[in-house]
Amino acid sequence: MNVLVTRRLLPGVLDPLRRWAVDVWEGEGPMPRSELTKRVADVDGLLCMLTDRIDAELLAAAPRLRVVSQMAVGVDNVDLGACTARGIPVGHTPGVLTETTADTAWALLAAATRRIPEGHDHVRGGHWGPWDPGLLLGGDLWDTTLGIVGLGRIGSAVARRARGFSMRVLYTGPRRKPHLEARLRVTYRELDDLLAESDHVVLTAPLTPETRHLIGRDALRRMRPDATLVNVARGGLVDHEALYEALIEGWIGRAALDVTEPEPIPGDHPLVGLPNCLIIPHLGSASERTRRAMAELAVANLERGLRGEPLVHCANPEVEHP
Ligand code: DGY
């Protein structure tokens, strides 16, 4: 059987696939679409990244394809309906990246709220003078209200960490999760109320047609003027034009983004130049241990799919249990 892997991975992780013919894209950056379309022609298994668009057109170019395995938990780049229609299970990697991504959300929240990057730039720029009681005053984390949009695995891990900061935690999502409310000490709010009551808002919801631009002008206008917005989910959750306006005009205090729309965000994008907008290049799960675990899980999903077994984590389970 033939396998295509669309990005170089950490040493050793592809070893379990040795018995099959494995083609790995060795080029710099994501595999160009034309190359991907060409190389899937005789492929049985595809191990792909969130930068690859897996849609009906690509599936049509891959008549032998029997499993897609994505090395990410989010699968908004994959047309699940088209895969399901072809009976192709789509693997993904929830669980193994939960804690690392929650750590990143907290790193962003703390850095933006306490203005750490601005302080760093201040020192690097040679501006550090005598101690100044008014220098770079920011917000607090302790004794504030944190609003989590999307109380899934990552949102729950973010909530757990909030206890150490004596925070009140609110959450919102498509439905209430009473079983988590007592365990995590979180309180449900409708989105509008959560936005109005939170000092900090962290986005951990998946990108779907329903959540696209969930945080637009209306939502940003509801937030507090000193609020921090953190996005570790997908850039598409936030309307970036509206966010720029909100940051310039002081509807909110600051934003910290691990994800943007588009990605990569161009260096001359207006958000990049704002002192109250911290942006990092989609590093949510980027610890060595976690990226290895994600790759290993993606390989395990792929192997199982090739053998015709249920995947460890399948994003379209209706294929496996029609
Ligand atoms: C994911 O898994 O969806 C992240 O965005 C990358 O870790």
Side-chain angles (χ1 to χ4, degrees):
M1 273 190 286
N2 299 327
V3 168
L4 175 62
V5 181
T6 66
R7 208 67 185 257
R8 262 197 310 263
L9 299 176
L10 289 168
V13 288
L14 293 177
D15 289 356
L17 303 179
R18 260 194 307 241
R19 81 200 89 146
W20 293 309
V22 181
D23 178 15
V24 181
W25 168 247
E26 297 285 349
E28 277 314 310
M31 205 168 173
R33 176 76 176 179
S34 55
E35 199 64 33
L36 178 58
T37 310
K38 197 162 57 183
R39 292 210 206 173
V40 287
D42 61 350
V43 147
D44 303 280
L46 175 64
L47 199 162
C48 60
M49 307 292 130
L50 54 84
T51 41
D52 303 313
R53 200 173 73 250
I54 311 300
D55 55 10
E57 183 195 55
L58 189 84
L59 296 183
R64 284 170 51 165
L65 193 61
R66 50 199 291 188
V67 57
V68 170
S69 176
Q70 164 135 308
M71 190 184 130
V73 61
V75 286
D76 45 284
N77 59 309
V78 180
D79 184 338
L80 288 181
C83 290
T84 304
R86 270 274 304 271
I88 298 173
V90 177
H92 66 147
T93 63
V96 293
L97 49 76
T98 300
E99 301 299 329
T100 300
T101 308
D103 283 352
T104 304
W106 273 94
L108 286 171
L109 178 58
T113 304
R114 304 312 322 283
R115 307 182 64 177
I116 303 298
E118 289 167 85
H120 184 63
D121 288 349
H122 187 78
V123 175
R124 275 211 171 152
H127 306 300
W128 190 2
W131 185 79
D132 176 348
L135 180 67
L136 291 175
L137 303 185
D140 270 320
L141 296 175
W142 69 280
D143 192 28
T144 58
T145 299
L146 173 68
I148 298 174
V149 178
L151 196 70
R153 289 181 176 87
I154 297 169
S156 299
V158 169
R160 260 191 285 112
R161 285 158 174 75
R163 276 194 215 158
F165 290 88
S166 314
M167 283 170 142
R168 184 167 81 106
V169 183
L170 309 176
Y171 78 98
T172 195
R175 71 196 83 79
R176 264 187 84 159
K177 299 194 170 171
H179 60 293
L180 292 180
E181 290 180 8
R183 190 171 350 133
L184 296 171
R185 293 188 225 147
V186 296
T187 307
Y188 180 81
R189 287 283 189 276
E190 294 296 332
L191 177 65
D192 287 356
D193 295 331
L194 176 140
L195 295 171
E197 287 179 48
S198 300
D199 298 291
H200 313 283
V201 174
V202 176
L203 307 179
T204 55
L207 178 62
T208 63
E210 290 73 40
T211 61
R212 172 164 289 283
H213 289 192
L214 186 69
I215 306 299
R217 273 191 183 78
D218 289 350
L220 290 159
R221 283 238 186 244
R222 287 201 168 86
M223 290 176 68
R224 296 185 167 191
D226 57 347
T228 306
L229 175 70
V230 175
N231 190 3
V232 289
R234 285 291 182 269
L237 262 67
V238 178
D239 174 345
H240 285 56
E241 252 180 54
L243 177 63
Y244 178 73
E245 230 177 302
L247 289 168
I248 284 282
E249 294 186 5
W251 310 348
I252 69 171
R254 54 200 80 81
L257 311 175
D258 179 43
V259 288
T260 58
E261 188 182 62
E263 264 179 38
I265 194 165
D268 61 357
H269 190 288
L271 282 176
V272 175
L274 290 184
N276 55 348
C277 189
L278 166 60
I279 306 180
I280 59 171
H282 206 146
L283 298 176
S285 60
S287 77
E288 197 158 338
R289 175 170 65 167
T290 292
R291 283 288 162 83
R292 179 170 288 278
M294 289 165 67
E296 285 170 356
L297 181 48
V299 166
N301 278 331
L302 190 86
E303 269 190 287
R304 290 207 185 185
L306 288 173
R307 286 203 224 99
E309 296 168 7
L311 311 190
V312 187
H313 287 288
C314 185
N316 55 344
E318 60 277 19
V319 168
E320 296 182 334
H321 314 286

